[in-house]
């Protein structure tokens, strides 16, 4: 069961045509999502397994992606630890983390109940997916979740998170065991791979990242060899200069944003999958201009022999943005398969 092309990418078996999945492929740009969202809150769409499966199926049915992704959000572990959570549509916690209230966070065992709803969501999505599609799950990276726990307004710079860095390790003492249970739950329920999305980690200076964040990531993935992938937004090759991101790592693969030269990455990475990295903002071009840019990008990849681009998963540098024209998403899937065949 699962998608052969995605499984080839995981095992780095050379192939002409890569598998395709987009981060936030289910979301506000998509009419299917908008119709469901008109009737249900975002939280309901995540917590009702039937609805979560329906949302995740939308982009598979409409655009024929090879891989479906669990429809959920990475902030639910914070809610599970007792922090409260609403969306409007940007997330708001009931309280932010401080030295004084750190002790009020629920223990991983107590908090686990709060993410259990994902078990049924993964199961239902797997049941509804065609046999030849893969399913992946996801959790947030500990630094990214820390920034959401700390910042009252989540904007660039993350001044408060950096000022409160002393709370990161004590926070991780509770958070990381919960995330491990969360990963295990998604794998047990039928996710083939679980992604760690570390959207805020690229905001850190590389040595700080290597010293403080990577040890927490290592603790998270070492128990799940080759089952967990990692994405860092805005990271550089300096951030990835660690054994965790090299041959012999327990990681299943990495997602790269559009700042990376994907050909150089493919030639250099010797383990697991390489997901990325078309610039999602280019999906806003007019259909004709978009076609030109997508063709240029894909032809550049076609210039590599299949052995040189083993592991590649065709995707975006980050997530599909709200109001992206559906037509260009459809076109990108079609062009990937047409040019790389
Ligand atoms: O990829 C998928 O199709 C699965 C769904 C998914 C969502 N969020 C759905 C969502 C995934 C993988 C995420 C991850 C996520 N959530 C990240 C990491 C990846 C990234 O996008 O950088 C982050 C930082 C969050 C936290 C979060 N949740 C934010 C910042 C927001 C949106 C705020 C805004 O105004 O844009 C959400 C809400 C959210 N998550 C929506 C969706 C479809 C929109 C909610 C709505 O319909 O109102």
């Amino acid at each position: 069961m699962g998608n052969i092309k995605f499984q080839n990418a995981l095992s780095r078996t050379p192939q002409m045509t890569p598998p395709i999945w987009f981060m936030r492929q289910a979301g506000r740009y998509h009419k299917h999502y908008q119709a469901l969202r008109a009737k249900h809150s975002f939280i309901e769409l995540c917590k009702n397994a039937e609805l979560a499966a329906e949302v995740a199926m939308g982009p598979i049915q409409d655009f024929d992606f090879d891989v479906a992704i669990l429809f959920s959000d990475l902030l639910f572990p914070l809610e599970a630890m007792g922090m409260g959570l609403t969306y409007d549509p940007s997330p708001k916690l009931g309280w932010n983390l401080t030295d004084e209230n750190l002790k009020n966070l629920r223990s991983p065992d107590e908090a686990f109940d709060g993410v259990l709803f994902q078990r049924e969501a993964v199961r239902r999505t797997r049941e509804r997916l065609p046999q030849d599609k893969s399913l992946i799950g996801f959790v947030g990276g500990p630094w990214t979740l820390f920034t959401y726990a700390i910042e009252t307004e989540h904007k660039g710079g993350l001044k408060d998170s950096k000022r409160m860095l002393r709370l990161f390790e004590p926070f991780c003492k509770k958070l990381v065991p919960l995330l491990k249970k969360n990963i295990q739950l998604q794998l047990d329920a039928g996710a083939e791979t679980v992604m760690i999305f570390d959207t805020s980690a690229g905001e850190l200076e590389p040595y700080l990242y290597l010293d403080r964040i990577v040890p927490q990531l290592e603790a998270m993935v070492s128990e799940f060899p080759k089952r967990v992938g990692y994405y860092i937004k805005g990271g550089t090759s300096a951030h990835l200069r660690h054994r965790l991101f090299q041959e012999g790592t327990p990681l299943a693969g990495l997602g790269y944003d559009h700042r990376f030269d994907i050909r150089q990455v493919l030639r250099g990475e010797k383990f697991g999958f390489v997901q990325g990295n078309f610039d999602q903002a280019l999906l806003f071009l007019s259909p004709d201009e978009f076609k030109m840019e997508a063709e240029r990008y894909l032809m550049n990849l076609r210039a590599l022999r299949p052995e040189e681009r083993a592991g590649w998963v065709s995707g975006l540098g980050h997530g599909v943005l709200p109001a992206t024209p559906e037509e260009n998403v459809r076109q990108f899937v079609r062009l990937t398969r047409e040019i790389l065949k």
Side-chain angles (χ1 to χ4, degrees), residues 22-28 33 37 42 69-75 87 89-91 138 148 197 199 318:
F22 284 3
M23 196 187 294
R24 282 197 240 145
Q25 62 192 22
R28 282 173 289 178
Y33 178 79
R37 186 68 179 79
F42 171 65
I69 175 160
L70 165 67
F71 190 76
S72 202
D73 199 63
L74 50 69
L75 298 177
Y87 290 87
S90 46
F138 70 94
Y148 277 95
F197 291 132
T199 312
H318 189 209

Side-chain angles (χ1 to χ4, degrees), residues 26-46 51-52 54-56 71 73 86-91 322:
R28 282 173 289 178
Y29 76 101
H30 192 194
K31 283 194 198 66
H32 174 266
Y33 178 79
Q34 289 160 12
L36 289 160
R37 186 68 179 79
K39 290 196 227 135
H40 308 277
S41 71
F42 171 65
I43 291 193
E44 210 181 332
L45 292 180
C46 294
L51 291 171
E54 178 58 32
V55 176
F71 190 76
D73 199 63
T86 54
Y87 290 87
D88 184 24
S90 46

Side-chain angles (χ1 to χ4, degrees), residues 74-115:
L74 50 69
L75 298 177
F76 289 120
L78 298 184
E79 183 188 47
M81 295 202 311
M83 298 191 75
L85 176 65
T86 54
Y87 290 87
D88 184 24
S90 46
K92 271 221 160 26
L93 298 174
W95 45 275
N96 289 96
L97 193 65
T98 61
D99 294 288
E100 290 72 38
N101 63 26
L102 180 80
K103 61 178 184 315
N104 299 342
L105 291 173
R106 290 192 191 118
S107 71
D109 285 336
E110 290 167 331
F112 187 51
D113 272 359
V115 296

